[in-house]
Structure formats: C-alpha cells, structure tokens
C-alpha cells in the first residue's frame, strides 16, 4: 500500500478528492497562490520589524553607556565624547513650527479655493499645480533655496532684526551666513509641506455634502459665512489631520534643511540663527563619524526621529480617517 | 436701526470679499515657488548643459573646468532605481494582491495596509541608515546595492497602496465571470484582474520611481558618490541627487553650474513621470 501510493498509476484513486475540492472552490493551486501573496504582504511587516531591530542594535552601545539622558543634553562635541541631542531636537521643532505657521493659511486657503470657489472642471488642473510641488525632489528645493531664496530672505531678516530685534528676542540676530538658519529652512519646509496640507484638506472638504452648503445659503449667508458655518466645522478634524501629517513630513525632511539651516549644533533663541535638525545632522555627520559612539549617537537620534514621526503620522491618519467618515 | 442693519450687512460683504481675496492670494502664493523653481532650474540648467557630453561625460578632475557633465550620476541613478524597481515593484504588487484579492477586510490585511501607510511617513533618511546597517556594515564598503535597497524600501509601500486601490476598483463581475468558468483564482488574478488594473498599477509604479529617483538623504551614506564613469553597482556610485547636493555646496562656480544642469535633468525626468502618471489616471477615471 505504502509503495503503491507513490505509483503514478494509482494516482487515480486520489482523483475524487481533488475533484470534490474543485467543486467547493478550493484547489491546491489556490492555497499556493494565497500563500505566496500572503508572503509578499508579510514581508513588508517583516522588513519594517527588521528595520526597527537593526536600528536598535546599531545604537545599543550609546544607550548602554549614556543612559537616556544624553538625548536632552545641550552640548554636542563628538570629538570629546559629549553627545547631547537637544540642539537637534530644538532645531527640528523650531523649523517645523515655522513651516506650519507659514503653510497652514496657504494650504487651507488653497484647499478652500479649490473646493469652494473653483469651477468643478478646473478643480483637477488647479489642484495639480500645487500637488506638483510635492514631486519636486527635496535637493532641488535646497539648491533653489541657497541661490534664489536666501538672497531674498537676507535683507528681510536684516530689516526685521534691526527693527524688531531689540524688543522681540526671536527676531534678533545673529543672522546665519548668507541668511541661512532656522527661518530659511522653515520657509523651504513650508513650501514642501504645502501640497500635503492642501491636498488632504481639499479631500476632506469635498466630502462635505452639498446640502449643508445650500442650507447655509438658504439662511442668507454670504459665501464666507457659509464656509465658516457649513464647511469649516465638519472639516476641522480633517484639517487638523492634514496639518499634523504636514508636520510629520517637516520633521523628517533632511536634505533641503541641511542645505539651508547652517549646520551649527547650538541652542539659540533667534529665528535667524544657524542651527541643525535631527535628520540633517544624521545626513551630514554619518560619513565623517569615525568614533563608534558618534555613529551610534547619530543612529540613536534616528530612533528618536523615527518614534516621533511614526507617532505623529499615525495620529494624523487616524484623525483624517475619522473626518473622512 | 435700518442704518445699523445696513452697516452690518456692509461689514458682512466686506468680510466676505476679503476672505475670497485671501483664498485667491493663498493659491497664488502657493503657486509662486513652483513657478520660480521651474524658471530658475530651466534657465540655469540650460546654461550649464553645453551639449550632449553633459549627459555622457563624468565631471572633470579639475573643479574649475566647465567641461564634463553628470553622465556618471545619470548612470548611477538609473542603475539603482532600476534594481530597486525590479525587486520592490513586484513585491509591492504581490502584497497588494493579497490585500485586495485574497484577504480583503481581514485583520492581517488591515494591519499590512496600516503599516504600509506608516512606512510612507518614515523619513527617508532612516531607510538609508537601515540599508547602511544591513549592507554597508557587513560588506565593509559603501555600494550602489545599499542605495538601491534604501530606494526600494521607499518605493515599496507606495506601490503596494496604489496597486491595492486600483485592484479594489476592478469591478467584481469580471472576477466572478472568470471564476465561474472554472479558472483558478491565481489565474484569474494574473490574467484578468491585474491586466484590467494595469494602467493604475503603472501609475503607482511611475510615482514610486519618480519619488525614488529624487531621494538624496538615504544615498549620502549608502551609495555615496563616485566621480568616474562606473557601472559597478557593488561599489560606491554617483547619483543625480547626490551630484546636485555636492555641486550646490561647492565653492567652485563650474560645479554649482553643473548642479543646476543636473537639477534640470532630474526635474525633467521626475515631472514628466509624474505628469504622465496623472494623465494615465485622469483618462482612466473618465471612461
């Protein structure tokens, strides 16, 4: 029997089983196909898991040696074995905050224009113009920032520092070389996150039913009053999500910031001063890092950046999903 | 009282007009950077591209020379993006097929979709650190392979999510028709579902490629840079973004000019791909 079951001639006896499986819609081939496809999906989870494990492994020594407090140390002097990540965290926070302050009115305004003022047939092309900003590689923003934006910003920064600088410390100098610094980096970041904020807000606004708008008009509202009463309240959660999503992008942006922030690991109260950010210090110092602890500290900063951006990203997506219904 | 009402309504009208003007202003201000970037890159780029040799020659050894070009960077970008595409586009499509065809709505499918979305929000530089830790640390030198791995990780979730969206739009009728004829599920997916979502999947792949081609940060310490013509993907290799980055921060004018030329090359490639992708989806959604 045992030998016989391997005889091809006897395979016929197993045929009814195969046949029955076909009738219920299950075949061995489907199991295989399902398994392969599932493998493809699981691989992504695996890769993400591997990435987290590898980052943790590579930076383990710095956490062992310095505990967790090095993250908020304010001095960064790798040559002396002093690693404080605070200047980078502050730089990331400051540049992202500037970016949000500039991009919020522009992004939401653009979204309102497209969803409320623009004729329906022009929505797509007009939206595409702003969306194209997202396709421009960040290094080109950096290049443009250095040679086009800085010459425009520098006199503005000088004027602000001279007039408001004494009274308001954040506008005081010193201004970074050629005008580079937190402010220049923040302006470029604002342009880069604009399409995210605009596109997501626009999607949310377009899901608001026409009835709500008509009810607003029926009450005799002007167009702006209708927007304020019928569009902004239901879209608020979604707009918040869009802003947080944009914030997540700004926090992680690397090369454009690196090219415009001035690369000085200092804690400074002035918006116009040179600084550094978490992502840009990794990009800039990784190759030059000879000391093992230096590399590990940079990867450690990467882990902080990873956690912050992932938490923010998840929060934003949950908000947008809630708003989208 | 009538007077009071009139001023109130005048104020309402003024506010209304002001807000409408503000919205238009927001749109115009948002479009200004794009226009400025396009104009500057085209003018300064064309100025730097002195002939075909710009696309075929590596930069000259002498940094003050205006000869040479970014041929090595074009080759490096093409090689790395091609390798990343060959491996990670099929992986993304495979994952999407599982999500949309084999297990729609299951907990695992939701989990994978969620983490794919999270993955698109991870700063690209961290994929560079990952590729460094996975390849460079073990082979002890920088290489195009590590760069391609980083770029592929960036493309993967984009391909997966766009493909899944496209598969979900394929009407279930044609699946059922195929299955009713006794065609196995895998064959139905391969011969019926995937082809009918083909245009959309191509769009997703094009967007992923254009995104990867423009990434700089993860290449800075994986593929690094190489100033000579090289097709060796196992060695350090140049790329357009890294060439732009190093040229932009150079002290020599010819190198800065070369960066603008490289920027025009890269921007043209990326924008053409993006616009083509939009065109494909736009036409598809009309029919």
């Amino acid at each position: 029997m045992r030998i016989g079951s391997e005889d091809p001639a006897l395979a016929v006896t197993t045929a009814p089983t195969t046949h029955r499986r076909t009738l219920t819609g299950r075949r061995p081939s489907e199991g295989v196909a399902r398994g392969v496809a599932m493998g493809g999906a699981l691989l992504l989870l695996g890769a993400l898991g591997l990435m987290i494990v590898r980052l943790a492994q590579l930076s383990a020594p710095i956490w062992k040696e310095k505990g967790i407090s090095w993250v908020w140390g304010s001095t960064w002097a790798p040559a002396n074995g002093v690693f404080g990540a605070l200047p980078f965290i502050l730089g990331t926070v400051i540049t992202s905050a500037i970016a949000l302050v500039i991009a919020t009115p522009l992004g939401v305004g653009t979204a309102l224009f497209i969803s409320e003022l623009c004729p329906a047939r022009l929505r797509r092309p007009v939206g595409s113009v702003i969306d194209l900003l997202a396709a421009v590689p960040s290094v080109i923003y950096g290049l443009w920032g250095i040679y086009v934006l800085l010459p425009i910003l520098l006199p503005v920064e000088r004027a602000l520092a001279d007039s408001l600088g004494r009274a308001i410390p954040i506008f005081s100098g010193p201004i970074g070389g050629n005008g580079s610094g937190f402010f220049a980096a923040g302006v470029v970041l604002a342009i880069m996150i604009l399409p995210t904020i605009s596109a997501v807000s626009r999607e949310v606004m377009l899901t608001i039913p026409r009835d709500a708008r008509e009810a607003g008009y029926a009450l005799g509202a002007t167009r702006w009053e209708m927007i304020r009463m019928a569009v902004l309240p239901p879209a608020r959660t979604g707009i918040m999500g869009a802003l947080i999503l944009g914030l997540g992008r700004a926090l992680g942006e690397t090369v454009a910031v690196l090219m415009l922030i001035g690369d000085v690991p200092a804690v400074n109260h002035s918006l116009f001063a040179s600084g550094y950010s978490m992502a840009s210090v990794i990009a800039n110092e990784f190759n030059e890092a000879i000391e093992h602890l230096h590399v590990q500290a940079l990867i450690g900063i990467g882990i902080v950046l990873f956690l912050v951006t992932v938490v923010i990203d998840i929060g934003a997506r949950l908000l947008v999903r809630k708003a989208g219904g | 009282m009538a007077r009071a009402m009139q001023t109130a309504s005048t104020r309402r009208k003024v506010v209304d007009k002001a807000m409408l003007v503000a919205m238009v202003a927001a749109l115009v201000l948002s479009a200004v950077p794009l226009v400025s970037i396009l104009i500057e890159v085209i003018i300064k780029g064309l100025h730097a591209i002195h002939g075909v040799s710009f696309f075929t020659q590596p930069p000259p050894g002498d940094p003050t020379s205006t000869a040479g070009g970014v041929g090595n960077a074009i080759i490096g970008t093409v090689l790395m993006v091609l390798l990343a595409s060959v491996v990670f586009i099929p992986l993304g499509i495979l994952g999407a097929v599982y999500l949309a065809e084999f297990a729609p709505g299951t907990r695992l499918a939701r989990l994978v979709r969620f983490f794919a979305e999270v993955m698109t929000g991870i700063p690209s530089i961290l994929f560079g650190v990952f590729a460094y830790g996975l390849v460079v640390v073990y082979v002890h030198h920088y290489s195009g392979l590590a760069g391609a791995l980083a770029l592929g990780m960036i493309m993967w979730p984009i391909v997966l999510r766009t493909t899944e969206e496209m598969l979900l739009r394929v009407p279930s009728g044609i699946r059922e028709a195929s299955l009713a004829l006794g065609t196995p599920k895998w064959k139905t997916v391969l011969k019926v579902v995937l082809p009918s979502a083909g245009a959309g999947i191509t769009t997703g792949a094009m967007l992923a490629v254009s995104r990867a081609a423009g990434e700089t940060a993860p290449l800075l310490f994986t593929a690094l840079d190489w100033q000579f013509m090289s097709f060796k993907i196992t060695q350090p290799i140049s790329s357009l973004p890294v060439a732009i980055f190093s040229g932009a921060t150079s002290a020599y004018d010819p190198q800065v000019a070369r960066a603008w030329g490289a920027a025009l090359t890269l921007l043209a490639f990326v924008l053409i791909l993006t616009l083509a992708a939009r065109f494909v989806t736009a036409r598809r959604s009309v029919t």
Side-chain angles (χ1 to χ4, degrees), chain B residues 56-70:
Chain B
T56 57
Q57 297 295 311
D62 173 12
T64 59
S65 161
T66 54
V70 293

PDB file of all heavy atoms in Angstrom, chain B residues 56-70:
ATOM      1  N   THR B  56      26.871  62.482 -21.058  1.00  0.00           N
ATOM      2  CA  THR B  56      27.660  61.260 -21.273  1.00  0.00           C
ATOM      3  C   THR B  56      28.997  61.282 -20.531  1.00  0.00           C
ATOM      4  O   THR B  56      29.591  60.227 -20.326  1.00  0.00           O
ATOM      5  CB  THR B  56      27.939  61.057 -22.771  1.00  0.00           C
ATOM      6  OG1 THR B  56      28.619  62.217 -23.261  1.00  0.00           O
ATOM      7  CG2 THR B  56      26.656  60.855 -23.550  1.00  0.00           C
ATOM      8  N   GLN B  57      29.476  62.463 -20.146  1.00  0.00           N
ATOM      9  CA  GLN B  57      30.789  62.542 -19.518  1.00  0.00           C
ATOM     10  C   GLN B  57      30.667  62.690 -18.001  1.00  0.00           C
ATOM     11  O   GLN B  57      29.723  63.295 -17.507  1.00  0.00           O
ATOM     12  CB  GLN B  57      31.551  63.765 -20.062  1.00  0.00           C
ATOM     13  CG  GLN B  57      31.836  63.711 -21.553  1.00  0.00           C
ATOM     14  CD  GLN B  57      32.768  62.572 -21.908  1.00  0.00           C
ATOM     15  OE1 GLN B  57      33.809  62.405 -21.279  1.00  0.00           O
ATOM     16  NE2 GLN B  57      32.385  61.765 -22.881  1.00  0.00           N
ATOM     17  N   PRO B  58      31.639  62.147 -17.271  1.00  0.00           N
ATOM     18  CA  PRO B  58      31.701  62.428 -15.826  1.00  0.00           C
ATOM     19  C   PRO B  58      32.278  63.827 -15.613  1.00  0.00           C
ATOM     20  O   PRO B  58      32.787  64.425 -16.560  1.00  0.00           O
ATOM     21  CB  PRO B  58      32.654  61.349 -15.308  1.00  0.00           C
ATOM     22  CG  PRO B  58      33.538  61.044 -16.459  1.00  0.00           C
ATOM     23  CD  PRO B  58      32.711  61.245 -17.713  1.00  0.00           C
ATOM     24  N   PRO B  59      32.202  64.345 -14.385  1.00  0.00           N
ATOM     25  CA  PRO B  59      32.772  65.679 -14.144  1.00  0.00           C
ATOM     26  C   PRO B  59      34.289  65.645 -14.349  1.00  0.00           C
ATOM     27  O   PRO B  59      34.917  64.614 -14.157  1.00  0.00           O
ATOM     28  CB  PRO B  59      32.407  65.961 -12.689  1.00  0.00           C
ATOM     29  CG  PRO B  59      32.121  64.637 -12.088  1.00  0.00           C
ATOM     30  CD  PRO B  59      31.583  63.790 -13.178  1.00  0.00           C
ATOM     31  N   PRO B  60      34.882  66.775 -14.758  1.00  0.00           N
ATOM     32  CA  PRO B  60      36.324  66.809 -14.979  1.00  0.00           C
ATOM     33  C   PRO B  60      37.068  66.748 -13.650  1.00  0.00           C
ATOM     34  O   PRO B  60      36.507  67.082 -12.602  1.00  0.00           O
ATOM     35  CB  PRO B  60      36.532  68.163 -15.656  1.00  0.00           C
ATOM     36  CG  PRO B  60      35.421  69.000 -15.138  1.00  0.00           C
ATOM     37  CD  PRO B  60      34.255  68.087 -14.936  1.00  0.00           C
ATOM     38  N   GLY B  61      38.317  66.289 -13.685  1.00  0.00           N
ATOM     39  CA  GLY B  61      39.107  66.219 -12.455  1.00  0.00           C
ATOM     40  C   GLY B  61      39.360  67.596 -11.874  1.00  0.00           C
ATOM     41  O   GLY B  61      39.388  67.780 -10.665  1.00  0.00           O
ATOM     42  N   ASP B  62      39.494  68.586 -12.748  1.00  0.00           N
ATOM     43  CA  ASP B  62      39.763  69.952 -12.317  1.00  0.00           C
ATOM     44  C   ASP B  62      38.449  70.662 -11.962  1.00  0.00           C
ATOM     45  O   ASP B  62      37.601  70.859 -12.828  1.00  0.00           O
ATOM     46  CB  ASP B  62      40.482  70.685 -13.462  1.00  0.00           C
ATOM     47  CG  ASP B  62      40.661  72.163 -13.167  1.00  0.00           C
ATOM     48  OD1 ASP B  62      40.444  72.552 -11.998  1.00  0.00           O
ATOM     49  OD2 ASP B  62      40.992  72.911 -14.099  1.00  0.00           O
ATOM     50  N   PRO B  63      38.261  71.031 -10.700  1.00  0.00           N
ATOM     51  CA  PRO B  63      36.977  71.609 -10.292  1.00  0.00           C
ATOM     52  C   PRO B  63      36.688  72.963 -10.938  1.00  0.00           C
ATOM     53  O   PRO B  63      35.545  73.411 -10.940  1.00  0.00           O
ATOM     54  CB  PRO B  63      37.109  71.757  -8.775  1.00  0.00           C
ATOM     55  CG  PRO B  63      38.568  71.757  -8.512  1.00  0.00           C
ATOM     56  CD  PRO B  63      39.185  70.910  -9.576  1.00  0.00           C
ATOM     57  N   THR B  64      37.699  73.629 -11.504  1.00  0.00           N
ATOM     58  CA  THR B  64      37.453  74.936 -12.111  1.00  0.00           C
ATOM     59  C   THR B  64      37.110  74.817 -13.584  1.00  0.00           C
ATOM     60  O   THR B  64      36.817  75.817 -14.243  1.00  0.00           O
ATOM     61  CB  THR B  64      38.699  75.838 -11.977  1.00  0.00           C
ATOM     62  OG1 THR B  64      39.797  75.189 -12.625  1.00  0.00           O
ATOM     63  CG2 THR B  64      39.041  76.085 -10.521  1.00  0.00           C
ATOM     64  N   SER B  65      37.136  73.591 -14.115  1.00  0.00           N
ATOM     65  CA  SER B  65      36.835  73.394 -15.532  1.00  0.00           C
ATOM     66  C   SER B  65      35.335  73.271 -15.757  1.00  0.00           C
ATOM     67  O   SER B  65      34.610  72.669 -14.955  1.00  0.00           O
ATOM     68  CB  SER B  65      37.538  72.131 -16.035  1.00  0.00           C
ATOM     69  OG  SER B  65      36.934  71.693 -17.231  1.00  0.00           O
ATOM     70  N   THR B  66      34.873  73.871 -16.848  1.00  0.00           N
ATOM     71  CA  THR B  66      33.438  73.793 -17.144  1.00  0.00           C
ATOM     72  C   THR B  66      33.115  72.598 -18.038  1.00  0.00           C
ATOM     73  O   THR B  66      31.962  72.384 -18.403  1.00  0.00           O
ATOM     74  CB  THR B  66      32.955  75.071 -17.854  1.00  0.00           C
ATOM     75  OG1 THR B  66      33.775  75.280 -19.004  1.00  0.00           O
ATOM     76  CG2 THR B  66      33.021  76.267 -16.933  1.00  0.00           C
ATOM     77  N   ALA B  67      34.132  71.834 -18.424  1.00  0.00           N
ATOM     78  CA  ALA B  67      33.894  70.667 -19.277  1.00  0.00           C
ATOM     79  C   ALA B  67      33.227  69.551 -18.474  1.00  0.00           C
ATOM     80  O   ALA B  67      32.976  69.690 -17.280  1.00  0.00           O
ATOM     81  CB  ALA B  67      35.218  70.182 -19.859  1.00  0.00           C
ATOM     82  N   GLY B  68      32.940  68.455 -19.157  1.00  0.00           N
ATOM     83  CA  GLY B  68      32.384  67.291 -18.473  1.00  0.00           C
ATOM     84  C   GLY B  68      30.929  67.480 -18.122  1.00  0.00           C
ATOM     85  O   GLY B  68      30.303  68.479 -18.487  1.00  0.00           O
ATOM     86  N   GLY B  69      30.385  66.514 -17.405  1.00  0.00           N
ATOM     87  CA  GLY B  69      28.961  66.587 -17.096  1.00  0.00           C
ATOM     88  C   GLY B  69      28.592  65.687 -15.938  1.00  0.00           C
ATOM     89  O   GLY B  69      29.358  65.548 -14.973  1.00  0.00           O
ATOM     90  N   VAL B  70      27.418  65.100 -16.038  1.00  0.00           N
ATOM     91  CA  VAL B  70      26.912  64.270 -14.943  1.00  0.00           C
ATOM     92  C   VAL B  70      26.540  62.877 -15.445  1.00  0.00           C
ATOM     93  O   VAL B  70      25.650  62.228 -14.898  1.00  0.00           O
ATOM     94  CB  VAL B  70      25.693  64.930 -14.261  1.00  0.00           C
ATOM     95  CG1 VAL B  70      26.105  66.195 -13.542  1.00  0.00           C
ATOM     96  CG2 VAL B  70      24.597  65.227 -15.275  1.00  0.00           C
TER      97      VAL B  70
END
